[in-house]
Amino acid sequence: MVNKYNAPKGTEDLYGPSARMWDYCMDVARDVFERAGYEPIYTPIFELTEVFTRGIGEATDVVGKEMYTFEDKGGRSMTLRPENTAGVVRAAINASLTANNAAAKLYYGGPQFRHERPQKGRQRQFYQIGAELLGYDSPEADAEIIGLLWHYFVELGIPPSSMRMLVNSMGCKNCRPTYRDSIERFILTNADDLCAECVRRADTNPLRALDCKNESCREVLSEAPRLMDALCAPCADHDKQVRVLLDLVGIPFEQDDSLVRGLDYYTRTVFEIQTDDGQGAQNAIGGGGRYDGLFEALGGKPTPGIGFALGFERAALALEAVGIDMAIGSDCDIYVACATDDLRARAFSVADTLREDGMYAQSDLGDRTLKAQMKAANKAGAAFVAILAPDEDAQGGVTLRDMHTKDEVFMTYDALLNLPE
Ligand code: HAM
């Protein structure tokens, strides 16, 4: 129905199959992440704007162009979270989750907000599921997090052969500045052959030019110095060990020099999973990386961290492409129908008792005819229908119809209410 009020541009109502898809994605997350010891964390949907400007970085597109920022009634600048990592780290600092060198394994799911141009797989309110591993700087931590994301998608039902796991290293505060300068110089030297956006980035965020989507820019930038060749010895060693561990546990990955990611907090390992199945132009279904400077940026003690987030809408598109679509709703073991109006209250109470006994049971809440109730039972996917009719009721029972075989048997109320679950 056309309504005067539509959901805002770039947002979507989740109901029916899409709401069930969200629940399914969260159920699999709970299962996969908790097996590795991760615990749920839910942070506020809005934070002080500084959490994001300091955490994600002023020069990023997310902070510079895409944030939903407003002044609250106390005159403070607040922002709807564009991602969850900064909020999780802020919460971990507040709750001292990593005090005395403790480690914390956390996961979350929920809406994020970015004022982007909506398109297939790109929304202004979108849902992410993510995990953050705080307190470890070891290559094992990186390999666990990358493996967790990979296994999550596999368990969700996305065929491994359709996914690409791209991995790169962003270096650290010791080796990246020199590399940043060399890319800045490279851009300025080749400015005539690059797009205006790449040239603008020379000044603000030169590394981001490396993942410009423009074909001719990509060709020019393929000649740029490689960050891999500029890593300091500890970063190069860390990177090598991560790769050895990923090989050891059989996670397929590819080195991608152009993978620089859009958020400023990354150090060392970064990664992204792409799939073309079901996607539009946006094919990154999840990504993440290490952020060893984020705690300090948010006023905490230096603490290493690594994590990822995946995009629910894009994961759902990938699942639909392989025929997983959550079309079937909740279960219905039994639908309690009545042939006459005077048995309506009885049907209502039988269904109520069956539910108390743990069954998935429904009855008609309107004034449908028996025929319409049978249709409703069918729609609900009921395995059985108990039909209450005057003759059977007089004998203390109902007709029980097996909706699959269409067989019907007489069953006493006693037997019906004591059906095994
Ligand atoms: P991100 O790459 O900005 O990273 O987002 C992660 C995933 O969220 C993307 O791969 C994509 O699937 C999905 N996504 C992002 N923007 C949109 C959008 N506008 N519409 C639909 N889906 C979108 C982060 O957010 C980091 N916090 C990940 C992380 C966690 N790094 C360390 N820990």
Side-chain angles (χ1 to χ4, degrees):
M1 199 177 89
V2 180
N3 192 306
K4 195 168 142 194
Y5 304 111
N6 293 314
K9 188 174 172 189
T11 72
E12 212 175 47
D13 300 311
L14 299 185
Y15 58 91
S18 58
R20 284 193 288 275
M21 182 64 94
W22 169 250
D23 288 345
Y24 167 68
C25 289
M26 278 306 286
D27 286 348
V28 175
R30 243 170 245 124
D31 181 38
V32 174
F33 301 165
E34 292 192 3
R35 267 189 273 154
Y38 289 71
E39 300 265 349
I41 180 167
Y42 299 107
T43 63
I45 276 173
F46 60 92
E47 299 270 358
L48 278 173
T49 300
E50 257 185 60
V51 170
F52 305 116
T53 49
R54 294 185 62 82
I56 300 171
E58 303 266 7
T60 60
D61 282 352
V62 170
V63 169
K65 301 186 196 161
E66 297 167 0
M67 294 208 301
Y68 282 90
T69 297
F70 59 96
E71 195 176 282
D72 77 359
K73 291 202 162 52
R76 289 167 291 252
S77 178
M78 297 288 174
T79 293
L80 297 184
R81 62 183 188 198
E83 59 96 60
N84 220 157
T85 309
V88 165
V89 167
R90 194 269 311 135
I93 296 170
N94 290 157
S96 305
L97 296 186
T98 53
N100 305 318
N101 296 325
K105 291 180 151 189
L106 305 164
Y107 74 90
Y108 51 82
Q112 319 293 332
F113 307 85
R114 296 183 193 176
H115 197 283
E116 295 193 81
R117 201 166 40 79
Q119 53 177 243
K120 190 173 182 185
R122 187 162 79 188
Q123 299 197 170
R124 293 182 173 170
Q125 173 171 335
F126 58 100
Y127 287 72
Q128 278 186 343
I129 293 174
E132 312 291 347
L133 173 51
L134 311 178
Y136 288 112
D137 60 8
S138 65
E140 283 80 3
D142 302 36
E144 173 165 299
I145 277 288
I146 293 174
L148 210 55
L149 181 60
W150 178 262
H151 289 305
Y152 173 78
F153 281 132
V154 173
E155 296 231 358
L156 205 59
I158 301 180
S161 58
S162 73
M163 295 190 283
R164 291 181 298 280
M165 168 70 83
L166 309 176
V167 178
N168 197 12
S169 174
M170 301 286 293
C172 67
K173 58 176 189 271
N174 298 325
C175 52
R176 195 161 47 192
T178 322
Y179 178 71
R180 189 185 182 280
D181 290 348
S182 68
I183 291 296
E184 185 181 339
R185 275 198 304 278
F186 182 89
I187 295 174
L188 295 177
T189 314
N190 294 279
D192 289 349
D193 302 321
L194 292 167
C195 70
E197 186 66 10
C198 282
V199 177
R200 192 185 62 77
R201 285 196 156 127
D203 192 32
T204 53
N205 205 347
L207 266 52
R208 286 293 288 164
L210 294 176
D211 75 350
C212 179
K213 301 288 176 268
N214 198 324
E215 258 320 307
S216 59
C217 293
R218 286 186 86 86
E219 213 178 296
V220 175
L221 289 159
S222 67
E223 301 292 321
R226 287 169 14 117
L227 183 46
M228 269 296 149
D229 301 329
L231 295 180
C232 60
C235 282
D237 188 47
H238 183 95
D239 185 61
K240 193 171 144 217
Q241 291 188 57
V242 173
R243 285 155 200 273
V244 168
L245 289 163
L246 290 176
D247 279 338
L248 180 71
V249 293
I251 308 289
F253 66 93
E254 296 164 30
Q255 160 64 31
D256 183 349
D257 295 329
S258 71
L259 182 68
V260 289
R261 311 263 312 135
L263 314 170
D264 268 1
Y265 50 59
Y266 290 119
T267 52
R268 293 194 165 172
T269 313
V270 288
F271 53 93
E272 194 162 282
I273 294 200
Q274 301 180 345
T275 178
D276 297 325
D277 285 9
Q279 312 295 314
Q282 308 301 320
N283 63 358
I285 50 176
R290 179 163 277 292
Y291 44 83
D292 291 346
L294 185 54
F295 273 74
E296 277 166 286
L298 295 178
K301 290 209 183 97
T303 308
I306 181 164
F308 63 75
L310 59 102
F312 159 69
E313 290 78 7
R314 295 181 198 176
L317 289 171
L319 289 175
E320 280 158 27
V322 290
I324 303 177
D325 61 7
M326 304 292 134
I328 296 171
S330 51
D331 285 341
C332 179
D333 296 326
I334 186 161
Y335 191 99
V336 187
C338 59
T340 55
D341 274 341
D342 53 345
L343 287 168
R344 230 167 249 289
R346 180 101 211 228
F348 176 76
S349 123
V350 168
D352 184 70
T353 308
L354 289 169
R355 281 196 296 271
E356 272 179 37
D357 288 348
M359 298 191 74
Y360 288 71
Q362 299 182 37
S363 64
D364 179 37
L365 303 175
D367 56 358
R368 286 192 173 103
T369 61
L370 180 59
K371 197 171 158 203
Q373 291 174 64
M374 295 307 286
K375 260 194 176 166
N378 226 338
K379 194 167 168 218
F384 291 92
V385 179
I387 305 165
L388 278 61
D391 284 355
E392 289 78 3
D393 185 62
Q395 295 168 49
V398 303
T399 299
L400 189 71
R401 180 178 168 91
D402 182 325
M403 296 294 276
H404 194 60
T405 63
K406 314 283 182 232
D407 290 344
E408 293 189 347
V409 291
F410 174 80
M411 184 175 268
T412 62
Y413 282 115
D414 257 7
L416 177 64
L417 296 176
N418 288 300
L419 279 176
E421 275 173 42

